[in-house]
Amino acid sequence: MACRRCKFVTPGKVCPACKSSDLTPDWTGIVLVVEPEISQIAQTLGVSRKGKYALKVT
């Protein structure tokens, strides 16, 4: 499941990153953010926390 709000990928029913329950199984692509402070991809996605993120969430 991917969060529609922040794109965090989680197996649970609530997003651990933003606490939203607006999750969807309909997402594409995945990126692992290890060091968000220096990651260009993290900056592009607007991510400031380590974790797995979907590239596209519908």
Side-chain angles (χ1 to χ4, degrees), residues 10 12 15-16 20 23 31-32 35 37 41 44 47 49 54-57:
T10 180
C15 176
S20 172
L23 305 178
V31 63
L32 298 175
E35 295 183 18
E37 311 83 33
I41 294 174
T44 301
V47 170
R49 182 178 174 165
L55 293 176
K56 181 179 179 185
V57 177

Side-chain angles (χ1 to χ4, degrees), residues 17-48:
C18 70
K19 308 300 183 221
S20 172
S21 60
D22 188 14
L23 305 178
T24 180
D26 192 16
W27 55 275
T28 306
I30 193 164
V31 63
L32 298 175
V33 176
V34 179
E35 295 183 18
E37 311 83 33
I38 61 173
S39 170
Q40 287 290 77
I41 294 174
Q43 289 176 7
T44 301
L45 292 175
V47 170
S48 61

